[in-house]
Amino acid sequence: MRNSGVQFEFATASKVIFGKGSLDKVPGIIAGMGNNVLIVTGKNQGRAGILSNQISGKTLSFFSIESEPTIEMINVGVQLARTEKCNLVIGFGGGSVIDAAKAIAALVPNDGELMDYLEVIGDGKPLLKKSLPVVAVPTTSGTGAEVTKNAVIKSEEHHVKVSLRSDFMYPDFAVVDPEIMVSMPTELTASTGVDALTHLLETFVSNQSNPFIDMFCREGMKRISQSLETAYFNGSDLNALEDMAMASLLGGMALANVKLGAVHGFAGPVGGMFPAPHGVVCARFLPAVMEMNIAALTRQNADISKFDEIAKILTQNELAVAEDGIVWVKNLVQKLKIASLSSFGITSKDFTELAAKAKNSSSMKGNPVVLNDEELIFILEKSV
């Protein structure tokens, strides 16, 4: 009998409701919850009408997030929620919207300011009071924010993106309905899809990985390998959208319980300094990070079997090896026509600062191998 030393903890949203038509269940879900509802949406607030028009008997307030959330945006949202005495928050939108909803819900009952609780640039204090109830309804497939306990927030002053994080921030309900993801803009399908792939791949090889999370990662990567291109080229294919919604959900569950890696280590600083969408940054860094991690592990005579397994899953070829996985991701990024990082103004002059910031990021602590300055610069040179 094998003597296993496996230990892990797992947490996620209190309840996940998945499948076509799930949006119609939201009015019933919130029937016994708060009466003053803050609905956080994206720039096109009208799109949330498919949800808000179903809600009756409650006072509704709306707050729009027009870009990735900043400290200033969150402060405005918190003030609105307090003024309107909101006691329930619904996030209806992409990852930025759901992150904003979670952050607002967390801060309303807690004393102090956002900077008191932010990682890296703030005081990093723990939230002491439970968040307002949150219902997260994603309209894109990629971030998995509907089942995570953090919100990524940009500081314009510090030119970096950091997290507000707490066990109190898991949504009470995650309602994932592939039907509301029909006909997403192709560039959004591409960038969020590779973001989901990055979550799954990085947690799979993380130095904190465990067999339970690995099951999520394998299933999620398999669905992406089968369906991301289809979802990109045919945004009305519900089977492909369902696969991508499931992969995104699994990736969110994974990253909420296992640290990520160097791709996300770079994503925070790059996203803070330049107007590059998070998914685009992940897509452009992923091949080079895979290449460097495989090379560094090989030099140390360490195990790279998980990278071999990734290659087999992505290529759907049992004979594939680690390097084939890198090629597959490179080809995917090309097929999806994901923008270059240089198009957002990043040049070699920025590499030293970006490498230094990445080195100090929280995500970098999960990378399967410690990367030195030279290796970090190499990744930048290959990615930009």
Side-chain angles (χ1 to χ4, degrees):
M1 181 176 174
R2 186 166 67 92
N3 181 21
S4 173
V6 173
Q7 293 184 354
F8 66 87
E9 296 181 7
F10 177 77
T12 189
S14 297
K15 189 167 185 176
V16 176
I17 300 170
F18 184 97
K20 301 165 190 173
S22 295
L23 182 68
D24 296 338
K25 298 179 181 179
V26 173
I29 289 168
I30 67 171
M33 301 172 75
N35 287 324
N36 290 335
V37 185
L38 178 67
I39 300 180
V40 183
T41 74
K43 182 165 54 175
N44 182 6
Q45 192 178 103
R47 193 176 176 211
I50 59 173
L51 169 64
S52 60
N53 292 339
Q54 298 184 58
I55 299 173
S56 59
K58 295 181 185 291
T59 301
L60 304 182
S61 301
F62 293 86
F63 182 65
S64 294
I65 295 290
E66 298 195 0
S67 62
E68 293 180 331
T70 64
I71 291 172
E72 292 73 22
M73 287 181 201
I74 298 302
N75 287 337
V76 172
V78 170
Q79 185 58 51
L80 173 64
R82 286 175 175 164
T83 300
E84 299 299 325
K85 296 182 169 51
C86 294
N87 49 17
L88 170 63
V89 179
I90 299 176
F92 181 89
S96 294
V97 168
I98 293 174
D99 275 359
K102 291 187 295 184
I104 292 166
L107 289 167
V108 167
N110 280 279
D111 299 326
E113 300 178 348
L114 176 55
M115 283 296 290
D116 295 332
Y117 304 103
L118 280 179
E119 295 177 349
V120 184
I121 61 171
D123 294 334
K125 293 179 181 177
L127 293 167
L128 299 179
K129 297 178 182 176
K130 191 175 182 346
S131 298
L132 297 180
V134 173
V135 177
V137 185
T139 61
T140 64
S141 295
T143 68
E146 67 273 14
V147 286
T148 63
K149 63 178 179 179
N150 72 303
V152 179
I153 299 167
K154 184 173 182 176
S155 169
E156 304 278 12
E157 177 186 352
H158 299 88
H159 303 293
V160 72
K161 292 196 291 189
V162 295
S163 280
L164 174 67
R165 193 184 310 270
S166 171
D167 287 342
F168 289 141
M169 290 176 62
Y170 285 110
D172 296 79
F173 290 88
V175 181
V176 185
D177 186 343
E179 286 186 332
I180 62 176
M181 300 171 187
V182 169
S183 297
M184 275 195 298
T186 54
E187 66 272 14
L188 193 59
T189 299
S191 62
T192 57
V194 183
D195 188 20
L197 173 61
T198 307
H199 294 158
L200 294 157
L201 195 154
E202 288 209 290
T203 50
F204 188 63
V205 299
S206 170
N207 57 34
Q208 297 182 357
S209 66
N210 64 68
F212 187 70
I213 295 298
D214 285 354
M215 293 190 299
F216 293 5
C217 297
R218 291 185 182 100
E219 180 66 19
M221 287 188 288
K222 176 184 173 184
R223 287 176 182 257
I224 288 174
S225 72
Q226 294 172 344
S227 295
L228 176 50
E229 283 187 50
T230 302
Y232 176 78
F233 289 108
N234 181 6
S236 299
D237 187 314
L238 274 174
N239 290 327
L241 293 176
E242 184 174 88
D243 273 349
M244 291 307 301
M246 178 67 78
S248 176
L249 179 70
L250 293 171
M253 289 178 172
L255 75 91
N257 292 276
V258 171
K259 279 194 178 295
L260 291 158
V263 175
H264 278 81
F266 278 111
V270 171
M273 291 172 62
F274 300 93
H278 175 76
V280 171
V281 177
C282 289
R284 285 297 173 182
F285 273 97
L286 183 55
V289 168
M290 291 172 70
E291 182 179 343
M292 179 50 67
N293 280 338
I294 292 166
L297 289 167
T298 301
R299 282 197 299 271
Q300 297 176 16
N301 293 316
D303 184 16
I304 64 165
S305 61
K306 277 197 165 182
F307 284 98
D308 290 331
E309 188 175 354
I310 287 167
K312 289 175 172 59
I313 293 170
L314 296 182
T315 64
Q316 300 173 51
N317 177 1
E318 283 302 312
L319 299 178
V321 295
E323 289 74 13
D324 297 320
I326 301 170
V327 173
W328 187 92
V329 174
K330 283 181 179 177
N331 289 339
L332 176 70
V333 171
Q334 187 174 14
K335 288 176 187 175
L336 300 183
K337 299 180 181 177
I338 291 175
S340 69
L341 293 180
S342 59
S343 68
F344 297 99
I346 305 173
T347 70
S348 58
K349 292 184 294 185
D350 306 301
F351 288 0
T352 301
E353 182 179 0
L354 286 170
K357 287 184 174 181
K359 205 171 183 179
N360 292 325
S361 70
S362 174
S363 292
M364 195 65 80
K365 296 171 185 173
N367 204 58
V369 61
V370 176
L371 300 174
N372 60 35
D373 292 346
E374 184 180 346
E375 290 165 333
L376 294 174
I377 294 295
F378 171 85
I379 291 169
L380 282 158
E381 288 172 345
K382 296 277 284 190
S383 302
V384 175

